[in-house]
Amino acid sequence: DAGVIQSPRHEVTEMGQEVTLRCKPISGHNSLFWYRQTMMRGLELLIYFNNNVPIDDSGMPEDRFSAKMPNASFSTLKIQPSEPRDSAVYFCASSPGQTGYEQYFGPGTRLTVT
Amino acid sequence: DQQVKQNSPSLSVQEGRISILNCDYTNSMFDYFLWYKKYPAEGPTFLISISSIKDKNEDGRFTVFLNKSAKHLSLHIVPSQPGDSAVYFCAAGWGSQGNLIFGKGTKLSVKP
């Protein structure tokens, strides 16, 4: 049974470039979450979707960040333009939704912006 | 304004002994608490949870205790094993949407 799939696993880009992170949630899960992990701030929720609809994006740091979920099996997190301070590990997680709070995390994307 | 706090960044325990990881929270609206374990280069994995209507939940070597009056929960691992060495995150949620607030984690090292 496949877990949450994220791509790419590693991304190195130059400042000013556009970055797109991808996530495939577990089939049948209704909720999808994007997190960012840094040493200073720990694991921060950026945005989450319920049934493909964005519910809370208050954690998105700036307008440079955007997220979409065009269907139940795919979501993207885009940073444009990227800056060095965006360097972090970005996790996607999915949850069955109303049946519980357990979230299942993907392996993460390590983003380095030089 | 951290709502979920793990005040110990690290903990070292001898194999076979008890590991106790602590977590404090400030929001009395939280009604569900979870512990996650994270190995390097992997995503966090769900370990154990507890509802606010309970004060204890046990799963094998792992037990979570909840003290609502103190807004405190703890994770006990008995006996500790070297494979338990990881970063442990405490998380809390409320309402029906399912979003969680995470602590900053405690790095557990279990020495053989």
Side-chain angles (χ1 to χ4, degrees):
Chain A
D1 200 15
V4 174
I5 298 172
Q6 289 187 248
S7 64
R9 291 294 310 273
H10 301 274
E11 176 80 37
V12 180
T13 189
E14 291 184 349
M15 182 175 65
Q17 296 296 308
E18 175 182 302
V19 174
T20 299
L21 312 181
R22 297 173 177 80
C23 176
K24 178 178 168 55
I26 293 172
S27 176
H29 281 192
N30 297 325
S31 298
L32 183 139
F33 307 81
W34 281 101
Y35 290 88
R36 177 172 69 176
Q37 184 183 27
T38 60
M39 289 294 292
M40 289 296 294
R41 300 176 68 88
L43 202 58
E44 301 175 275
L45 178 67
L46 299 177
I47 183 171
Y48 79 95
F49 297 84
N50 195 33
N51 293 320
N52 311 339
V53 176
I55 302 299
D56 184 355
D57 65 354
S58 59
M60 297 283 262
E62 300 172 31
D63 291 344
R64 297 184 296 107
F65 286 69
S66 63
K68 294 182 180 179
M69 191 165 187
N71 57 62
S73 60
F74 184 66
S75 177
T76 59
L77 177 68
K78 184 179 291 187
I79 308 172
Q80 181 185 23
S82 57
E83 296 182 2
R85 61 192 166 124
D86 301 330
S87 297
V89 180
Y90 291 81
F91 290 103
C92 175
S94 70
S95 167
Q98 301 267 341
T99 55
Y101 288 92
E102 291 87 347
Q103 295 178 15
Y104 298 83
F105 282 75
T109 296
R110 179 172 292 279
L111 173 65
T112 302
V113 183
T114 59
Chain B
D1 63 339
Q2 272 184 278
Q3 297 187 62
V4 177
K5 298 179 183 179
Q6 294 177 256
N7 292 319
S8 298
S10 63
L11 174 68
S12 183
V13 172
Q14 205 67 33
E15 181 180 5
R17 305 295 290 268
I18 185 171
S19 294
I20 300 176
L21 297 105
N22 294 303
C23 178
D24 298 297
Y25 63 95
T26 58
N27 189 340
S28 56
M29 298 291 288
F30 289 142
D31 56 15
Y32 207 87
F33 304 88
L34 306 89
W35 284 94
Y36 281 79
K37 179 169 74 172
K38 184 183 181 303
Y39 293 118
E42 295 183 10
T45 55
F46 170 72
L47 194 57
I48 192 170
S49 63
I50 188 166
S51 163
S52 61
I53 63 173
K54 294 186 176 182
D55 54 19
K56 178 182 175 181
N57 188 25
E58 191 172 353
D59 183 2
R61 297 186 297 113
F62 302 91
T63 303
V64 56
F65 295 92
L66 176 62
N67 182 334
K68 287 193 294 292
S69 61
K71 293 191 176 68
H72 177 83
L73 67 156
S74 60
L75 174 68
H76 292 210
I77 307 173
V78 183
S80 303
Q81 300 173 353
D84 297 329
S85 297
V87 177
Y88 289 78
F89 291 95
C90 168
W94 76 101
S96 61
Q97 299 296 338
N99 57 310
L100 297 174
I101 306 296
F102 282 82
K104 290 193 173 182
T106 297
K107 184 176 182 179
L108 173 65
S109 299
V110 180
K111 302 192 182 304

